[in-house]
Amino acid sequence: MSSSRPFRQDARVNTHTLTSVAAVFAITGALMHPFSARADNTSTQIRQQVTAAIKQHFGDKVPDSRTEVQLNPINRQLDFPPCGHPLSVDLPFHSGSRITAKVGCNQPRWSLFVTGQAQVFKPVVMAANPIIKGSRIRASMLQLREQDISSLRGDYFQRQQDVSGHLARISISADTVITPRMLTQANAISRGDAVTIEARRGGVLIRTEGTAQENGRIGETIDVTNNRSGIKVRARVTASGRVQVP
């Protein structure tokens, strides 16, 4: 019987100790609650204003686009008090979809960097079906589809008319974004074609008929024979079937 007394005493001491520990945790939790709530409010303020600034930035830079933003988590241990004014947001770094925003508050004064991903979507010209190398591209071979242009390498086209009429430099798979490097300009004039020769003299535009002696693309200079005089001249191709002499 005497051996049971210390056991009951230890049980009373343990119960008292556990109660004290629970009280400490309760007090600590109560003290930490304002900090946690304040951190959540500040984090929400930062995320909202940074997201809005990124969307505004790309909306101005790429008109008629749609931007999606995914920010990385903000460190909750940073004790930033809520800013009494709109935050200042600068975007000093962005490469592809990765972006860094510098966020600052004037009152009270603090700043930090926020990182994330920004995807910018815009309709671009794509191949609607496979296009064989060397074929002349027609509008029926093309489609406009929304793509994340921040992930595209090189230039792209926004209008089908800027692609139609060109020749495919390489074979192009269906659903591929068309880039300038895939295209070559088709001849606007072929050797032997009848052409209109234009020449400006002062404010007067003179036209006469001629015959092309070379193939030519728009902007190139080729030999053309004036059918009336039989004289060969150098003329710049300005359109299909049309050239201009200096």
Side-chain angles (χ1 to χ4, degrees):
M1 296 294 292
S2 60
S3 61
S4 63
R5 292 177 181 175
F7 176 80
R8 287 196 297 271
Q9 183 179 7
D10 291 344
R12 287 194 298 272
V13 171
N14 290 341
T15 302
H16 176 73
T17 301
L18 291 174
T19 303
S20 299
V21 170
V24 170
F25 274 113
I27 294 171
T28 303
L31 292 174
M32 290 294 292
H33 178 71
F35 166 76
S36 177
R38 184 173 70 183
D40 286 342
N41 291 338
T42 305
S43 177
T44 299
Q45 181 187 26
I46 293 171
R47 297 182 71 87
Q48 288 177 344
Q49 295 193 35
V50 169
T51 297
I54 292 173
K55 289 185 175 182
Q56 181 67 47
H57 170 77
F58 285 105
D60 295 340
K61 186 177 179 181
V62 188
D64 303 321
S65 63
R66 176 176 65 86
T67 303
E68 292 185 2
V69 179
Q70 182 66 46
L71 298 180
N72 295 327
I74 298 171
N75 190 346
R76 290 172 54 86
Q77 295 181 351
L78 298 175
D79 185 14
F80 288 121
C83 191
H85 302 279
L87 299 172
S88 63
V89 181
D90 296 322
L91 305 175
F93 312 113
H94 59 85
S95 175
S97 62
R98 292 175 297 181
I99 191 164
T100 298
K102 182 179 180 181
V103 186
C105 177
N106 288 329
Q107 188 178 1
R109 185 174 295 277
W110 53 260
S111 65
L112 79 160
F113 286 94
V114 178
T115 60
Q117 305 279 328
Q119 293 177 293
V120 183
F121 294 91
K122 190 175 180 68
V124 300
V125 180
M126 302 178 65
N129 44 52
I131 301 175
I132 301 173
K133 177 181 178 180
S135 60
R136 185 185 291 268
I137 298 176
R138 303 185 303 275
S140 60
M141 300 177 177
L142 305 172
Q143 60 179 329
L144 276 176
R145 278 176 48 187
E146 191 177 65
Q147 294 290 304
D148 176 15
I149 61 173
S150 61
S151 65
L152 297 181
R153 295 182 179 180
D155 294 329
Y156 53 88
F157 294 96
Q158 301 178 51
R159 304 186 308 170
Q160 294 184 10
Q161 56 264 41
D162 294 333
V163 178
S164 296
H166 285 75
L167 299 179
R169 187 190 300 273
I170 60 173
S171 293
I172 305 171
S173 302
D175 300 324
T176 298
V177 176
I178 305 294
T179 67
R181 300 185 67 175
M182 298 177 180
L183 309 176
T184 184
Q185 196 173 47
N187 289 333
I189 294 173
S190 298
R191 182 179 180 181
D193 281 355
V195 296
T196 299
I197 304 172
E198 297 181 339
R200 286 196 174 274
R201 298 295 180 263
V204 179
L205 178 64
I206 303 171
R207 291 190 178 96
T208 188
E209 300 304 314
T211 303
Q213 302 300 312
E214 298 177 275
N215 298 333
R217 300 168 182 169
I218 294 176
E220 292 182 336
T221 300
I222 62 173
D223 286 335
V224 178
T225 299
N226 185 321
N227 292 347
R228 178 174 298 180
S229 65
I231 298 175
K232 185 183 293 185
V233 295
R234 296 287 288 172
R236 182 171 60 87
V237 180
T238 57
S240 178
R242 183 175 303 172
V243 298
Q244 188 175 66
V245 297

